[in-house]
Amino acid sequence: MQYLRRAVKYFFWFALILCITLAVMVALGLVEANPQDMFRNGTKSLWQIAILFAVLAAIYPLTGFRKQEAIIPGELSEIKDKVIRLMGEKGYMLETENGEDMTFRLKNGFSRAMKMWEDRITMTKEPGGFILEGLRRDIVRLISFLEFKFNNNDDYSKS
């Protein structure tokens, strides 16, 4: 169900971006406001564009989200506060906590909107670290940051 919701959301997001782009082009006088003049095949192009957006929207949730392990040594009771503080440094706040699982959301409303409210990062405690789930680019960035802070012996990682 989450996959279908994301695919529909991305379809409308792509359509919105196209509409905004076309509105700017019409406002600047770069194209005529008539779809027959705006597109090579007139209104038939709208169906072709819609099919393209549907294909992209169906593929993106499969490639844009992932689960990946972060190697963070220590028991949850010892590292939990530090994880929450470090996630806060990256702009995330603790949303929910369920046993050893934590869910974070972005603090900034504009950043959340730019990610279409797909900003949730779920951290599931596993032996030797956490499994992070969320947007691929955010997961990679957060795992690198967390592993660096926990595995280096600088003064900051000891606090």
Side-chain angles (χ1 to χ4, degrees):
M1 189 65 180
Q2 185 175 7
Y3 166 79
L4 181 62
R5 181 183 53 81
R6 283 178 176 161
V8 169
K9 189 186 290 189
Y10 280 107
F11 176 81
F12 286 111
W13 182 250
F14 295 148
L16 177 67
I17 291 172
L18 176 66
C19 290
I20 291 171
T21 303
L22 292 175
V24 168
M25 291 174 67
V26 168
L28 294 174
L30 299 174
V31 296
E32 295 292 325
N34 183 357
Q36 294 296 341
D37 299 330
M38 193 180 294
F39 301 110
R40 182 183 339 170
N41 295 329
T43 55
K44 289 181 184 178
S45 294
L46 296 176
W47 289 108
Q48 295 167 350
I49 292 169
I51 290 170
L52 174 68
F53 286 173
V55 169
L56 290 173
I59 293 171
Y60 185 73
L62 296 174
T63 61
F65 297 87
R66 77 182 301 176
K67 287 183 182 181
Q68 187 173 336
E69 183 177 10
I71 300 169
I72 300 173
E75 294 296 319
L76 182 63
S77 58
E78 301 167 355
I79 62 174
K80 180 179 146 186
D81 291 336
K82 185 175 176 183
V83 167
I84 293 171
R85 188 180 78 247
L86 290 172
M87 290 294 285
E89 285 182 23
K90 287 296 184 182
Y92 288 87
M93 64 182 174
L94 184 64
E95 180 186 38
T96 61
E97 189 174 351
N98 184 11
E100 293 188 335
D101 299 343
M102 296 181 284
T103 304
F104 295 87
R105 299 297 299 258
L106 283 171
K107 296 175 189 176
N108 186 312
F110 179 74
S111 296
R112 294 185 71 200
M114 292 308 295
K115 293 179 186 231
M116 295 183 356
W117 292 272
E118 293 289 348
D119 61 321
R120 182 174 283 123
I121 302 293
T122 304
M123 297 180 72
T124 306
K125 184 70 174 126
E126 296 286 328
F130 288 93
I131 300 290
L132 276 73
E133 180 179 3
L135 275 170
R136 177 180 296 268
R137 63 180 174 252
D138 293 340
I139 294 298
V140 170
R141 181 176 51 88
L142 289 169
I143 288 173
S144 296
F145 176 73
L146 291 170
E147 286 181 346
F148 176 78
K149 291 298 184 181
F150 274 95
N151 294 324
N152 283 330
N153 291 326
D154 58 3
D155 291 334
Y156 186 79
S157 67
K158 294 177 184 176
S159 58

